[in-house]
Amino acid sequence: MLIFWTITFFLLGAAKGKEISYEDLGCFSDTEPWAGTAIRPLKILPWSPEKIGTRFLLYTNENPNNFQASNFQTNRKTRFIIHGFIDKGDESWVTDMCQNMFKVEEVNCICVDWKKGSQTTYTQAANNMREVGIQVAQKLKILSTDYNYSPSNVHLIGHSLGAHVAGEAGSRTPGLGLDPVEASFEGTAEEVQLDPSDAVFVDVIHTDSAPLIPFLGFGMNQLVGHLDFFPNEGENMPGCKKNALSQIVDLDGIWAGTQDFVACNHLRSYNILNPDGFAAYPCASYKSFQSNKCFPCPDQGCPQMGHYADKFAGKTSEEQQKFFLNTGDASNFARWRYGVSITLSGRTATGRAKVALFGDKGNIHQYEVISGIIKPGTTHTSEFDARLDVGTIEKVKFLWNNNVINPTLPKVGAAQITVQKGEEKTVYNFCSEDTVREDVLLTVTPC
């Protein structure tokens, strides 16, 4: 079945003091909790629908490169992608996200373009988004009432301010948000910001949650979903660096040309579409996660951050939790976490010991497990994030060195090595009776 997409909004009246009304959209006020609070002190009303100029751009598997109005299929799921502050719906990352979805499913991908309302001062854009959220909800209502299209087939994906657009629409219709922005939303009332009640399932990726002042974080640290993911602590993404320009603290002074530079961390959240490689571990804090206190995954498993997070729906606890993971710094951000324990043999020495894993899907380079005193009979445990899922582990290679000349030429070995992938219960055991001098590889095979 084909649906032709058109949407028109009409101005009903002009602003009257602290309230303005638009036909079909209702009234908007600049009173609390939307304005006049410590967090949102400025009293600003949203612009007219004509001025915001919201467009719904439909991409499908049949028209992946150009939006068009007649390919909507009611037998497919629908993903709305909603951009944020100083962004636009026909930006390359938005269409790239649609095209990545087309690789794994047949889907209606609708980009919500409200660039005229987002490319302004931040405080104005934060109020314009209220109107856009209602417009999205109206589109969902049309699908439900006119075409018997179930809201359960709809997935709302919002980036930056777009997450709160999704929240506004989701509070009227089931949906999902992604990576909400901090400024003017952190600590606000539930009706103002995204929260778990906005949808049947809400997962959130926090990629820039450091405080706005003085660190210029564009995300938010507050738990606002059923699943709240904090990759790399949720503050500084690998490969994102800030310089003097990022000390700008007046959001209304940021211009579009600085978007990719200043908001690098924040922009990372829409790049996560892989089916695996983003297992996130429930943990009290990132410090505990890095201290190897949250490994492996619990009995119910670990959710995959990103596009496939909804597979974890129904497994979340009533109490909101933080989920942590580390990612890479290149275009492929996926990482797989492994836990390794080594029981040493041979002579006592000082230095470093590393392991490399070899499996039926490939092998990974050496990761350091021990640094310091190497003493026979002791067991050392560590975790690391690999660039590859090696599959079934077949052998481990052990290497040690200290880069200091030792005239006694000590030999060190790995009597036993155990390896576990964080997402699996299988523990692999490898044994060896051999010892080697430094910088000599020791192959350790299954016990």
Side-chain angles (χ1 to χ4, degrees):
M1 181 176 184
L2 302 179
I3 299 175
F4 292 86
W5 290 80
T6 59
I7 187 163
T8 307
F9 300 94
F10 300 93
L11 179 65
L12 177 64
K16 296 181 180 179
K18 296 183 178 180
E19 187 174 282
I20 193 167
S21 298
Y22 300 109
E23 186 176 346
D24 296 331
L25 298 180
C27 297
F28 300 89
S29 169
D30 64 0
T31 57
E32 295 184 11
W34 295 100
T37 66
I39 296 174
R40 298 170 69 102
L42 298 181
K43 290 182 175 290
I44 295 178
L45 290 166
W47 288 343
S48 70
E50 291 90 347
K51 190 171 182 179
I52 295 175
T54 305
R55 298 190 301 163
F56 294 86
L57 312 179
L58 173 64
Y59 296 85
T60 69
N61 300 70
E62 290 74 26
N63 58 294
N65 299 311
N66 299 288
F67 64 87
Q68 67 112 288
S70 60
N71 273 347
F72 187 90
Q73 304 290 329
T74 56
N75 61 346
R76 298 177 182 177
K77 289 190 174 182
T78 299
R79 319 286 189 188
F80 283 77
I81 303 177
I82 311 165
H83 68 78
F85 177 49
I86 60 173
D87 212 338
K88 54 186 178 180
D90 53 1
E91 190 68 68
S92 61
W93 74 262
V94 180
T95 54
D96 286 348
M97 179 176 273
C98 287
Q99 290 172 359
N100 280 332
M101 290 180 186
F102 299 148
K103 294 176 183 178
V104 297
E105 61 182 345
E106 291 188 340
V107 64
N108 303 303
C109 189
I110 300 173
C111 301
V112 181
D113 181 13
W114 60 291
K115 62 186 175 186
K116 293 180 181 179
S118 73
Q119 296 178 347
T120 178
T121 62
Y122 180 84
T123 48
Q124 182 64 62
N127 279 279
N128 290 342
M129 54 76 41
R130 299 161 59 186
E131 201 169 286
V132 180
I134 295 175
Q135 293 171 341
V136 173
Q138 289 180 333
K139 182 64 69 178
L140 299 177
K141 186 177 180 181
I142 291 172
L143 289 174
S144 177
T145 57
D146 293 1
Y147 303 98
N148 198 31
Y149 190 80
S150 173
S152 64
N153 290 324
V154 176
H155 181 183
L156 303 182
I157 303 172
H159 179 253
S160 179
L161 280 180
H164 299 284
V165 172
E168 180 70 25
S171 65
R172 296 156 164 58
T173 315
L176 180 150
L178 181 153
D179 196 15
V181 69
E182 174 196 43
S184 296
F185 285 91
E186 179 93 31
T188 56
E190 287 188 358
E191 64 189 279
V192 175
Q193 67 171 16
L194 180 74
D195 71 87
S197 69
D198 286 336
V200 173
F201 181 66
V202 177
D203 69 281
V204 182
I205 302 174
H206 302 258
T207 57
D208 198 13
S209 60
L212 176 64
I213 300 173
F215 302 111
L216 201 69
F218 283 75
M220 67 190 302
N221 188 61
Q222 183 179 349
L223 299 183
V224 291
H226 296 103
L227 293 176
D228 283 80
F229 297 102
F230 291 83
N232 313 297
E233 198 174 7
E235 294 187 2
N236 296 304
M237 301 299 104
C240 289
K241 296 181 180 180
K242 297 178 180 178
N243 64 15
L245 280 178
S246 67
Q247 299 307 308
I248 301 171
V249 295
D250 177 10
L251 282 178
D252 289 343
I254 297 177
W255 58 98
T258 66
Q259 179 189 33
D260 287 334
F261 170 71
V262 178
C264 176
N265 292 322
H266 199 51
L267 297 175
R268 282 293 177 87
S269 61
Y270 57 61
N271 283 312
I272 301 169
L273 291 164
N274 299 51
D276 61 359
F278 293 100
Y281 298 78
C283 208
S285 67
Y286 187 69
K287 182 178 181 181
S288 295
F289 172 73
Q290 289 291 79
S291 300
N292 307 331
K293 296 180 180 179
C294 306
F295 183 94
C297 293
D299 291 340
Q300 66 268 30
C302 287
Q304 288 286 331
M305 180 179 72
H307 184 63
Y308 295 90
D310 58 352
K311 292 186 177 181
F312 204 73
K315 298 181 182 180
T316 57
S317 63
E318 292 184 4
E319 185 176 333
Q320 288 178 292
Q321 288 182 291
K322 289 186 176 183
F323 292 83
F324 293 94
L325 70 158
N326 289 323
T327 68
D329 59 0
S331 58
N332 180 14
F333 304 121
R335 292 293 183 268
W336 287 263
R337 195 163 182 85
Y338 289 90
V340 177
S341 292
I342 301 177
T343 300
L344 296 167
S345 61
R347 296 262 306 273
T348 298
T350 300
R352 294 179 171 84
K354 303 176 181 179
V355 297
L357 307 181
F358 290 74
D360 61 354
K361 292 183 180 179
N363 59 78
I364 56 177
H365 66 76
Q366 297 164 352
Y367 287 89
E368 185 175 294
V369 179
I370 303 168
S371 178
I373 302 297
I374 297 176
K375 186 177 181 180
T378 60
T379 300
H380 302 258
T381 300
S382 185
E383 296 167 17
F384 56 82
D385 299 289
R387 296 174 180 268
L388 175 72
D389 173 11
V390 300
T392 300
I393 305 172
E394 299 170 335
K395 62 183 178 182
V396 179
K397 290 194 176 183
F398 170 86
L399 181 74
W400 78 279
N401 58 61
N402 62 7
N403 298 319
V404 176
I405 296 176
N406 188 331
T408 64
L409 301 177
K411 288 187 176 184
V412 173
Q416 184 172 8
I417 298 177
T418 62
V419 184
Q420 183 178 7
K421 183 181 173 183
E423 302 163 68
E424 300 175 354
K425 296 299 182 183
T426 303
V427 177
Y428 299 87
N429 292 285
F430 304 89
C431 299
S432 175
E433 296 180 357
D434 296 330
T435 57
V436 292
R437 292 176 179 170
E438 64 174 310
D439 294 321
V440 176
L441 283 171
L442 172 65
T443 299
V444 187
T445 56
C447 298

